[in-house]
Amino acid sequence: GAVLQRERLEAGPFTKYIWRPIKNSLTEYRTAQIKYTKRYAEMLQDVDFGETIIVANEFDKPYSFGKQHSGRGKAELLGAMLHTGNTSNLRKLLLGRGWAALNEDGSINTTAWDTFVARMINEGVLTKEDYTFLQEVWDLNEQMKPLIQKAHNDVYGYYFKEVEATPTVNRYGSFRGGYVPAKTDPFLVSETEIKAKLEDLRSEFRQSLPSTGNGFTKERVEYNKPLSLDLRIMTKHIDDALRFAFVQPAIEDVFKILKNKTFANRLSQLDPTIMDT
């Protein structure tokens, strides 16, 4: 009787191979998500955002930081500054926003941007505390990177190529730099470009990873859409990265079972609607 009772309580194949892997991965993801987003929220509390629109006349087409954020220009400026921790992010930021042009050799002309940032420092808009905040966010992403690398290797079979952080030296000191996911601004990308299938999620995630630029492969096409400048979206960046790191490999494993022809055909014989639901 006891043996029979124990057998009844043991998990069946559906629980073991389909339900539990996803369930466990979601639990791990939620634990990490709370930890990292809480730390980011604490960082934001120490930032003085002010209430002023910041106009960048240095660009060919002047840009008003804060116009989209209730006049809080500093919030949007720091959102842009997060993309300056390495040359890959900076290139995507400046080309995507039209704040820089390419030189004949394919390199990027950052003169207008550099002049603008220098003015922001000279006018005291960008402070030492701001650069400390930027470095803390880059460090937070650096801590998450091993998780993302492991998941990338699990899903694609190789590690994504990492780019070196670009140090910044100014009157406030020397800052190591780093990377944040290069996510596009949802308000400046058409809805037809936003998809939610597995392959599209994979593709969108890979576009957000740092790359070595358009010289990486001959065939590589460089797409530079406007990057998000919204600091609040960094919470979503963290969420997306951790969801990919913990949940995506589990989903991929379960998909291998579901896509197996023998399994799929047998399931279809039992109930044609069960796979989708």
Side-chain angles (χ1 to χ4, degrees), residues 6 15 17 31 39 61-62 65 168 172 194 199 214 216 233 243 266 273:
R6 196 161 59 247
T15 303
Y17 302 117
T31 305
R39 277 170 58 190
K61 188 179 175 186
F65 288 90
T168 297
Y172 303 129
I194 298 167
E199 286 302 316
N214 63 354
F216 184 39
I233 286 180
R243 191 188 295 265
R266 183 73 186 108
T273 66

PDB file of all heavy atoms in Angstrom, residues 6 15 17 31 39 61-62 65 168 172 194 199 214 216 233 243 266 273:
ATOM      1  N   ARG A   6       3.263   5.969  -2.785  1.00  0.00           N
ATOM      2  CA  ARG A   6       4.436   6.737  -3.179  1.00  0.00           C
ATOM      3  C   ARG A   6       4.467   6.920  -4.694  1.00  0.00           C
ATOM      4  O   ARG A   6       4.784   7.987  -5.198  1.00  0.00           O
ATOM      5  CB  ARG A   6       5.696   6.021  -2.690  1.00  0.00           C
ATOM      6  CG  ARG A   6       6.945   6.907  -2.708  1.00  0.00           C
ATOM      7  CD  ARG A   6       8.071   6.391  -1.818  1.00  0.00           C
ATOM      8  NE  ARG A   6       8.517   5.048  -2.205  1.00  0.00           N
ATOM      9  CZ  ARG A   6       8.347   3.964  -1.451  1.00  0.00           C
ATOM     10  NH1 ARG A   6       7.745   4.065  -0.278  1.00  0.00           N
ATOM     11  NH2 ARG A   6       8.758   2.777  -1.847  1.00  0.00           N
ATOM     12  N   THR A  15       4.648  16.717 -15.827  1.00  0.00           N
ATOM     13  CA  THR A  15       5.155  17.564 -14.737  1.00  0.00           C
ATOM     14  C   THR A  15       6.673  17.653 -14.786  1.00  0.00           C
ATOM     15  O   THR A  15       7.256  18.730 -14.685  1.00  0.00           O
ATOM     16  CB  THR A  15       4.711  16.996 -13.368  1.00  0.00           C
ATOM     17  OG1 THR A  15       3.287  16.906 -13.353  1.00  0.00           O
ATOM     18  CG2 THR A  15       5.178  17.872 -12.222  1.00  0.00           C
ATOM     19  N   TYR A  17       8.942  16.933 -17.272  1.00  0.00           N
ATOM     20  CA  TYR A  17       9.675  17.403 -18.453  1.00  0.00           C
ATOM     21  C   TYR A  17       9.114  18.665 -19.102  1.00  0.00           C
ATOM     22  O   TYR A  17       9.796  19.296 -19.907  1.00  0.00           O
ATOM     23  CB  TYR A  17       9.734  16.284 -19.499  1.00  0.00           C
ATOM     24  CG  TYR A  17      10.377  15.031 -18.970  1.00  0.00           C
ATOM     25  CD1 TYR A  17       9.664  13.835 -18.873  1.00  0.00           C
ATOM     26  CD2 TYR A  17      11.704  15.043 -18.536  1.00  0.00           C
ATOM     27  CE1 TYR A  17      10.248  12.682 -18.366  1.00  0.00           C
ATOM     28  CE2 TYR A  17      12.304  13.899 -18.033  1.00  0.00           C
ATOM     29  CZ  TYR A  17      11.572  12.719 -17.943  1.00  0.00           C
ATOM     30  OH  TYR A  17      12.157  11.586 -17.438  1.00  0.00           O
ATOM     31  N   THR A  31      13.097  35.719  -8.386  1.00  0.00           N
ATOM     32  CA  THR A  31      13.983  36.009  -7.247  1.00  0.00           C
ATOM     33  C   THR A  31      15.069  36.999  -7.660  1.00  0.00           C
ATOM     34  O   THR A  31      15.335  37.984  -6.967  1.00  0.00           O
ATOM     35  CB  THR A  31      14.638  34.706  -6.724  1.00  0.00           C
ATOM     36  OG1 THR A  31      13.610  33.767  -6.408  1.00  0.00           O
ATOM     37  CG2 THR A  31      15.475  34.964  -5.487  1.00  0.00           C
ATOM     38  N   ARG A  39      17.781  47.103  -6.401  1.00  0.00           N
ATOM     39  CA  ARG A  39      19.048  47.835  -6.369  1.00  0.00           C
ATOM     40  C   ARG A  39      19.027  49.025  -7.327  1.00  0.00           C
ATOM     41  O   ARG A  39      19.534  50.104  -7.008  1.00  0.00           O
ATOM     42  CB  ARG A  39      20.209  46.897  -6.701  1.00  0.00           C
ATOM     43  CG  ARG A  39      20.658  46.132  -5.454  1.00  0.00           C
ATOM     44  CD  ARG A  39      21.617  45.035  -5.747  1.00  0.00           C
ATOM     45  NE  ARG A  39      22.829  45.486  -6.420  1.00  0.00           N
ATOM     46  CZ  ARG A  39      23.722  44.653  -6.933  1.00  0.00           C
ATOM     47  NH1 ARG A  39      23.538  43.358  -6.856  1.00  0.00           N
ATOM     48  NH2 ARG A  39      24.796  45.112  -7.525  1.00  0.00           N
ATOM     49  N   LYS A  61      20.247  68.862 -35.989  1.00  0.00           N
ATOM     50  CA  LYS A  61      18.857  69.180 -35.672  1.00  0.00           C
ATOM     51  C   LYS A  61      18.775  69.248 -34.146  1.00  0.00           C
ATOM     52  O   LYS A  61      18.852  68.225 -33.475  1.00  0.00           O
ATOM     53  CB  LYS A  61      17.934  68.076 -36.216  1.00  0.00           C
ATOM     54  CG  LYS A  61      16.466  68.411 -36.117  1.00  0.00           C
ATOM     55  CD  LYS A  61      15.630  67.268 -36.696  1.00  0.00           C
ATOM     56  CE  LYS A  61      14.146  67.558 -36.478  1.00  0.00           C
ATOM     57  NZ  LYS A  61      13.306  66.426 -36.898  1.00  0.00           N
ATOM     58  N   PRO A  62      18.663  70.453 -33.563  1.00  0.00           N
ATOM     59  CA  PRO A  62      18.666  70.578 -32.093  1.00  0.00           C
ATOM     60  C   PRO A  62      17.661  69.643 -31.432  1.00  0.00           C
ATOM     61  O   PRO A  62      16.574  69.410 -31.969  1.00  0.00           O
ATOM     62  CB  PRO A  62      18.276  72.045 -31.872  1.00  0.00           C
ATOM     63  CG  PRO A  62      18.720  72.739 -33.109  1.00  0.00           C
ATOM     64  CD  PRO A  62      18.512  71.758 -34.229  1.00  0.00           C
ATOM     65  N   PHE A  65      16.048  67.652 -24.605  1.00  0.00           N
ATOM     66  CA  PHE A  65      15.944  66.583 -23.612  1.00  0.00           C
ATOM     67  C   PHE A  65      14.881  66.973 -22.582  1.00  0.00           C
ATOM     68  O   PHE A  65      14.927  68.070 -22.039  1.00  0.00           O
ATOM     69  CB  PHE A  65      17.287  66.380 -22.901  1.00  0.00           C
ATOM     70  CG  PHE A  65      18.342  65.738 -23.753  1.00  0.00           C
ATOM     71  CD1 PHE A  65      19.195  66.513 -24.531  1.00  0.00           C
ATOM     72  CD2 PHE A  65      18.493  64.354 -23.771  1.00  0.00           C
ATOM     73  CE1 PHE A  65      20.172  65.918 -25.312  1.00  0.00           C
ATOM     74  CE2 PHE A  65      19.470  63.757 -24.553  1.00  0.00           C
ATOM     75  CZ  PHE A  65      20.310  64.532 -25.326  1.00  0.00           C
ATOM     76  N   THR A 168      35.913  56.817 -19.365  1.00  0.00           N
ATOM     77  CA  THR A 168      35.717  58.256 -19.504  1.00  0.00           C
ATOM     78  C   THR A 168      36.564  58.941 -18.443  1.00  0.00           C
ATOM     79  O   THR A 168      36.523  58.567 -17.274  1.00  0.00           O
ATOM     80  CB  THR A 168      34.235  58.638 -19.280  1.00  0.00           C
ATOM     81  OG1 THR A 168      33.450  58.028 -20.297  1.00  0.00           O
ATOM     82  CG2 THR A 168      34.034  60.143 -19.324  1.00  0.00           C
ATOM     83  N   TYR A 172      35.750  65.051 -13.026  1.00  0.00           N
ATOM     84  CA  TYR A 172      35.234  64.330 -11.859  1.00  0.00           C
ATOM     85  C   TYR A 172      36.025  63.060 -11.543  1.00  0.00           C
ATOM     86  O   TYR A 172      35.798  62.412 -10.536  1.00  0.00           O
ATOM     87  CB  TYR A 172      33.762  63.953 -12.081  1.00  0.00           C
ATOM     88  CG  TYR A 172      32.878  65.149 -12.368  1.00  0.00           C
ATOM     89  CD1 TYR A 172      32.023  65.150 -13.474  1.00  0.00           C
ATOM     90  CD2 TYR A 172      32.890  66.264 -11.541  1.00  0.00           C
ATOM     91  CE1 TYR A 172      31.204  66.232 -13.740  1.00  0.00           C
ATOM     92  CE2 TYR A 172      32.071  67.356 -11.814  1.00  0.00           C
ATOM     93  CZ  TYR A 172      31.237  67.339 -12.917  1.00  0.00           C
ATOM     94  OH  TYR A 172      30.430  68.416 -13.180  1.00  0.00           O
ATOM     95  N   ILE A 194       7.076  45.437 -33.920  1.00  0.00           N
ATOM     96  CA  ILE A 194       7.055  44.820 -32.595  1.00  0.00           C
ATOM     97  C   ILE A 194       6.313  43.503 -32.684  1.00  0.00           C
ATOM     98  O   ILE A 194       5.123  43.454 -32.943  1.00  0.00           O
ATOM     99  CB  ILE A 194       6.380  45.764 -31.567  1.00  0.00           C
ATOM    100  CG1 ILE A 194       7.183  47.062 -31.460  1.00  0.00           C
ATOM    101  CG2 ILE A 194       6.294  45.096 -30.204  1.00  0.00           C
ATOM    102  CD1 ILE A 194       6.471  48.166 -30.747  1.00  0.00           C
ATOM    103  N   GLU A 199      11.056  33.377 -32.159  1.00  0.00           N
ATOM    104  CA  GLU A 199      12.184  33.781 -32.987  1.00  0.00           C
ATOM    105  C   GLU A 199      12.397  35.287 -32.928  1.00  0.00           C
ATOM    106  O   GLU A 199      13.526  35.769 -32.944  1.00  0.00           O
ATOM    107  CB  GLU A 199      11.961  33.347 -34.452  1.00  0.00           C
ATOM    108  CG  GLU A 199      12.148  31.865 -34.688  1.00  0.00           C
ATOM    109  CD  GLU A 199      13.538  31.373 -34.288  1.00  0.00           C
ATOM    110  OE1 GLU A 199      14.528  32.050 -34.610  1.00  0.00           O
ATOM    111  OE2 GLU A 199      13.630  30.324 -33.632  1.00  0.00           O
ATOM    112  N   ASN A 214      29.994  47.544 -37.712  1.00  0.00           N
ATOM    113  CA  ASN A 214      29.690  46.999 -39.034  1.00  0.00           C
ATOM    114  C   ASN A 214      30.865  46.292 -39.691  1.00  0.00           C
ATOM    115  O   ASN A 214      30.733  45.753 -40.774  1.00  0.00           O
ATOM    116  CB  ASN A 214      29.134  48.092 -39.959  1.00  0.00           C
ATOM    117  CG  ASN A 214      30.147  49.196 -40.197  1.00  0.00           C
ATOM    118  OD1 ASN A 214      31.214  49.209 -39.590  1.00  0.00           O
ATOM    119  ND2 ASN A 214      29.804  50.130 -41.063  1.00  0.00           N
ATOM    120  N   PHE A 216      32.283  43.712 -38.240  1.00  0.00           N
ATOM    121  CA  PHE A 216      32.326  42.394 -37.585  1.00  0.00           C
ATOM    122  C   PHE A 216      32.245  41.270 -38.602  1.00  0.00           C
ATOM    123  O   PHE A 216      33.023  40.338 -38.576  1.00  0.00           O
ATOM    124  CB  PHE A 216      31.175  42.316 -36.570  1.00  0.00           C
ATOM    125  CG  PHE A 216      31.166  41.045 -35.768  1.00  0.00           C
ATOM    126  CD1 PHE A 216      32.347  40.467 -35.323  1.00  0.00           C
ATOM    127  CD2 PHE A 216      29.970  40.420 -35.442  1.00  0.00           C
ATOM    128  CE1 PHE A 216      32.347  39.304 -34.568  1.00  0.00           C
ATOM    129  CE2 PHE A 216      29.960  39.260 -34.693  1.00  0.00           C
ATOM    130  CZ  PHE A 216      31.144  38.704 -34.260  1.00  0.00           C
ATOM    131  N   ILE A 233      12.845  52.664 -18.358  1.00  0.00           N
ATOM    132  CA  ILE A 233      12.888  51.469 -19.200  1.00  0.00           C
ATOM    133  C   ILE A 233      14.066  50.574 -18.812  1.00  0.00           C
ATOM    134  O   ILE A 233      14.085  49.397 -19.135  1.00  0.00           O
ATOM    135  CB  ILE A 233      12.869  51.859 -20.702  1.00  0.00           C
ATOM    136  CG1 ILE A 233      11.451  52.318 -21.065  1.00  0.00           C
ATOM    137  CG2 ILE A 233      13.290  50.717 -21.608  1.00  0.00           C
ATOM    138  CD1 ILE A 233      11.237  52.732 -22.495  1.00  0.00           C
ATOM    139  N   ARG A 243      14.967  37.541 -17.577  1.00  0.00           N
ATOM    140  CA  ARG A 243      13.977  36.599 -18.134  1.00  0.00           C
ATOM    141  C   ARG A 243      14.658  35.717 -19.180  1.00  0.00           C
ATOM    142  O   ARG A 243      14.461  34.510 -19.219  1.00  0.00           O
ATOM    143  CB  ARG A 243      12.812  37.369 -18.763  1.00  0.00           C
ATOM    144  CG  ARG A 243      11.614  36.506 -19.125  1.00  0.00           C
ATOM    145  CD  ARG A 243      10.614  37.328 -19.907  1.00  0.00           C
ATOM    146  NE  ARG A 243      10.049  38.402 -19.112  1.00  0.00           N
ATOM    147  CZ  ARG A 243       8.898  38.313 -18.442  1.00  0.00           C
ATOM    148  NH1 ARG A 243       8.203  37.200 -18.480  1.00  0.00           N
ATOM    149  NH2 ARG A 243       8.440  39.324 -17.748  1.00  0.00           N
ATOM    150  N   ARG A 266       1.495  12.242 -31.967  1.00  0.00           N
ATOM    151  CA  ARG A 266       0.719  11.478 -30.983  1.00  0.00           C
ATOM    152  C   ARG A 266      -0.201  12.407 -30.192  1.00  0.00           C
ATOM    153  O   ARG A 266      -1.363  12.083 -29.932  1.00  0.00           O
ATOM    154  CB  ARG A 266       1.676  10.741 -30.026  1.00  0.00           C
ATOM    155  CG  ARG A 266       0.959   9.862 -29.000  1.00  0.00           C
ATOM    156  CD  ARG A 266       0.390   8.594 -29.639  1.00  0.00           C
ATOM    157  NE  ARG A 266      -0.401   7.839 -28.668  1.00  0.00           N
ATOM    158  CZ  ARG A 266      -1.721   7.750 -28.696  1.00  0.00           C
ATOM    159  NH1 ARG A 266      -2.426   8.361 -29.641  1.00  0.00           N
ATOM    160  NH2 ARG A 266      -2.357   7.042 -27.788  1.00  0.00           N
ATOM    161  N   THR A 273      -6.125  20.296 -30.391  1.00  0.00           N
ATOM    162  CA  THR A 273      -5.990  21.668 -29.871  1.00  0.00           C
ATOM    163  C   THR A 273      -5.012  21.754 -28.709  1.00  0.00           C
ATOM    164  O   THR A 273      -4.659  22.849 -28.285  1.00  0.00           O
ATOM    165  CB  THR A 273      -7.358  22.192 -29.379  1.00  0.00           C
ATOM    166  OG1 THR A 273      -7.768  21.402 -28.245  1.00  0.00           O
ATOM    167  CG2 THR A 273      -8.405  22.107 -30.467  1.00  0.00           C
TER     168      THR A 273
END
